[in-house]
Each structure stands twice: as C-alpha cells, then as structure tokens.
Amino acid sequence: MAKAFGEIIIDIDKCKGCELCIDSCPQNTLALAPKINQKGYHYAIKVQDNCTGCLNCALVCPEGIINVYRKIVK
Amino acid sequence: MTNPISINEVPVNPEIIQDEYLIYKKPSTLTDKPFHYCPGCGHSTVHKLLMELVEEIGIQSDIIGVAPVGCSVFAYDYMDIDMQEAAHGRALAVATGVRRMLPDKYVFTYQGDGDLAAIGTAETIHAANRGENILCIFINNGVYGMTSGQMAPTTLAGMVSTTSPFGRDVKTQGYPLKIGELLSLLPGVAYVTRQSVHTPTNVRKTKKALKQALEYQKQGLGFCMVEVVSNCPSNWKMTPLESLKFVEEKMIPFYPLGDLKVPGGK
C-alpha cells in the first residue's frame, strides 16, 4: 500500500496563533509553541513526526503561511 | 522564509522538503503584506482562495476587483491584481461601470454584510436585477466588523451585538435578512450559492463554487453571488475555535449551505 509522508514549513513570524490548523489536523501533528513570536502570539509548530500531507492545515490557515510537501512511497 | 530547522520541534526530513513534492504554498497573486485581520478571521481565507483561483486560471491581468468599506477595505493591499475602492455599499455600482467599460474582463466585488446587505441594499438588488455580469462575493458574519460589532441586518435573532446587548429582538429590530434567497428570485441572477470556510471540506467547496462562478461569468450568464458564512471572533467575543463552533451550531442552521440558484435550474 502506498504511504504518504508529509512535511510542513510554517512561517512563524506571520502566525497569529488562531489554532485553526491545530484543530483541523487529524494526526495531532501540530501544537502551539510555548514561546511567542515578534507579533506576541504563540505560534503553531510541528510536535510529532506523523504528518501525511493531507493539506487540512494549509487550507484552513487564514494567513496562508503553511507550505506543505508530500511524498508518496509505493 | 525562516530557517525550517528552527521552527519545528521535531527535525524536518530534508528528503521531503524539495520543490517536486511541494503541494501547497501561498499563491503568488497575494502580496507579501501580512493580513491585518484578527486571528482566525474568515476574510483572509476567502482572499487566499480567490487568489489561488486567479493564479490557477491564469487571469491575473484580466481580473478587476472592487473593494468595499468594512474590514476588507484594504483588500487591494493584499490582492496583487487591479482593484478599485468604492464608497460604502456602492461596490456593485462601481463594478457595473467597470463591466460596461471593459466587457471582456473578469469583474468581482468583495463585500461584507454591513456593506452589501445594509448600506448598499439598493445597489445590490438593482445590479442583480439588471443581470450585470459580475461576481459578487458576500462575506456574512452577522455583525459590522470594522466598527466593532454593531448589529447588521444579518445578525441572528437573539444574537448579542454592541447595539443589541440583550440579543436581537425581532419585534423591534426586525428579522435577519437572507440576501441569498432574496436575490435568487430575480430573473437576472444566474448563480447564487452559500458556502462557509469553517472546516477544510467547506474551504474546498467554497473554492469550487468561486471557480464555478468565474466560469459562468466567462460564459456571460449574468449576476453570480457566492455568499460565505464566516466568523468574527473579535466582535463575537470568542476565541477563533469557539467562533467556528458558533458558525456550525447557530449560523449554518439559519443560513443553510448549498446552491440557491443554478443556471438552467430552479
């Protein structure tokens, strides 16, 4: 069975910490960082290495700051 | 973009971070300017969807937008296309002028509920009744966002806003206005649909609806409206996640999603 490996890159300086990506992630890959960014928001980070590249976070992210990569291994 | 290693708690796999595997990035038709919208606002999601479509269809130099007055007044700062600002509520009147002068371009207006449903009701209804070949994007969040949450015509019955602190009383303040249903009765209107952006599925559906509306505009079928039921966390005094729950539980039962009118249909 083909397996999808995903990877995301978040532009944390533009993150406003709305948590929509965290809520939409079916794998619980994301969480809010304990640190804050230059805007003063807790930003979203990847905390688990189980991303499948499903795109949910990127679709709901209002700022459009999540780049998603997906590699499918057969 | 920041160094990818520093932004994740778990290390990234450099094998996957390659251009050939890139499946999503911010569309190039959006400028680099960060959105001024509050965290979790639906406006930025719709801006993003529209600009993704402009990039995909390749119409960056063939589309003209009309920005409203309201939270999205600075839409022209973010969308890297030709834009025109209109007086409060008059976006469709300005768009009519643009459409008459440039009949072969795509024309859209981007309006909120205070702009389209209250101050610009006359312009909206008459532009729709004339069957102007314009796409109207209507963001319905039930309050006047920019001026800090006063009651709009679309505010739900019983919903608290700064000018209805005990909840909207329909006996004195009237019933919430369903602009989508109202416009779908007019013969000049080709396509009316109501969508939302509160879940990934709905975001995909909204993008499809916007694409369909642009397609109808290309065919010259007439007035198209895509209404997006959105959230306003700041003025509803909620966190972004609570506001999405409110959209799901309160807004969508009153403003049901789906196509209200399709060309050749009902």
Side-chain angles (χ1 to χ4, degrees):
Chain A
M1 207 181 101
K3 200 162 184 244
F5 293 95
E7 198 62 78
I8 51 167
I9 293 187
I10 305 171
D11 191 355
I12 54 165
D13 284 342
K14 289 184 182 162
C15 182
K16 292 179 182 166
C18 66
E19 298 181 75
L20 300 196
C21 54
I22 299 170
D23 188 54
S24 70
C25 181
Q27 299 278 88
N28 297 324
T29 306
L30 296 160
L32 276 192
K35 288 183 193 165
I36 56 171
N37 62 11
Q38 60 184 20
K39 283 177 190 274
Y41 294 113
H42 290 284
Y43 49 87
I45 47 164
K46 189 178 160 195
V47 289
Q48 287 194 68
D49 204 5
N50 58 358
C51 178
T52 57
C54 71
L55 270 186
N56 277 7
C57 55
L59 284 174
V60 296
C61 177
E63 309 301 312
I65 53 170
I66 305 181
N67 283 10
V68 185
Y69 297 80
R70 181 168 59 196
K71 184 182 182 183
I72 294 174
V73 180
K74 285 184 182 159
Chain B
M1 189 157 287
T2 333
N3 174 14
I5 309 301
S6 69
I7 64 170
N8 285 330
E9 213 165 71
V10 285
V12 295
N13 185 350
E15 258 182 45
I16 303 177
I17 308 281
Q18 280 172 22
D19 285 348
E20 55 184 309
Y21 301 127
L22 182 67
I23 54 170
Y24 186 89
K25 73 173 178 56
K26 191 174 173 176
S28 61
T29 37
L30 275 176
T31 57
D32 284 339
K33 198 170 177 180
F35 291 119
H36 74 279
Y37 303 114
C38 308
C41 180
H43 268 306
S44 11
T45 315
V46 181
H47 280 26
K48 202 180 70 175
L49 286 180
L50 188 65
M51 289 301 108
E52 275 172 25
L53 276 175
V54 168
E55 189 182 33
E56 276 168 29
I57 310 174
I59 47 173
Q60 191 175 8
S61 53
D62 295 323
I63 189 162
I64 297 155
V66 182
V69 172
C71 277
S72 45
V73 64
F74 294 126
Y76 51 77
D77 269 354
Y78 309 125
M79 300 181 183
D80 199 5
I81 54 173
D82 289 330
M83 299 279 295
Q84 171 68 49
E85 175 62 50
H88 202 352
R90 275 65 183 171
L92 278 164
V94 173
T96 302
V98 176
R99 162 56 69 211
R100 300 270 166 107
M101 291 309 292
L102 301 164
D104 54 341
K105 301 282 183 190
Y106 290 88
V107 180
F108 74 91
T109 68
Y110 185 100
Q111 297 174 273
D113 48 357
D115 191 75
L116 182 141
I119 290 154
T121 322
E123 279 75 9
T124 307
I125 289 181
H126 289 292
N129 196 33
R130 291 193 303 269
E132 299 292 346
N133 195 18
I134 296 167
L135 163 62
C136 171
I137 300 164
F138 170 35
I139 311 296
N140 178 2
N141 59 11
V143 285
Y144 279 81
M146 186 174 80
T147 51
S148 75
Q150 287 81 2
M151 186 175 68
T154 46
T155 303
L156 301 177
M159 189 172 160
V160 175
S161 66
T162 48
T163 45
S164 59
F166 306 109
R168 182 178 187 159
D169 177 8
V170 291
K171 281 189 184 148
T172 52
Q173 290 151 343
Y175 292 90
L177 190 58
K178 290 185 174 178
I179 289 283
E181 275 83 347
L182 199 69
L183 295 189
S184 64
L185 299 172
L186 302 174
V189 177
Y191 180 56
V192 181
T193 183
R194 189 184 284 122
Q195 303 294 337
S196 84
V197 288
H198 71 293
T199 64
T201 323
N202 290 89
V203 172
R204 284 178 205 265
K205 282 184 185 165
T206 307
K207 188 171 174 185
K208 219 171 164 183
L210 286 169
K211 192 171 185 180
Q212 190 69 66
L214 286 173
E215 185 58 37
Y216 290 144
Q217 186 175 130
K218 196 180 174 189
Q219 295 167 13
L221 296 184
F223 190 85
C224 297
M225 187 171 90
V226 178
E227 176 176 344
V228 182
V229 179
S230 180
N231 57 341
C232 186
S234 298
N235 291 315
W236 293 355
K237 314 273 187 283
M238 294 176 186
T239 66
L241 290 181
E242 283 166 4
S243 74
L244 295 191
K245 215 171 161 194
F246 187 87
V247 168
E248 176 99 48
E249 288 172 359
K250 300 279 166 60
M251 296 286 280
I252 289 176
F254 187 78
Y255 295 110
L257 305 183
D259 291 344
L260 298 166
K261 189 176 188 181
V262 286
K266 50 181 174 168

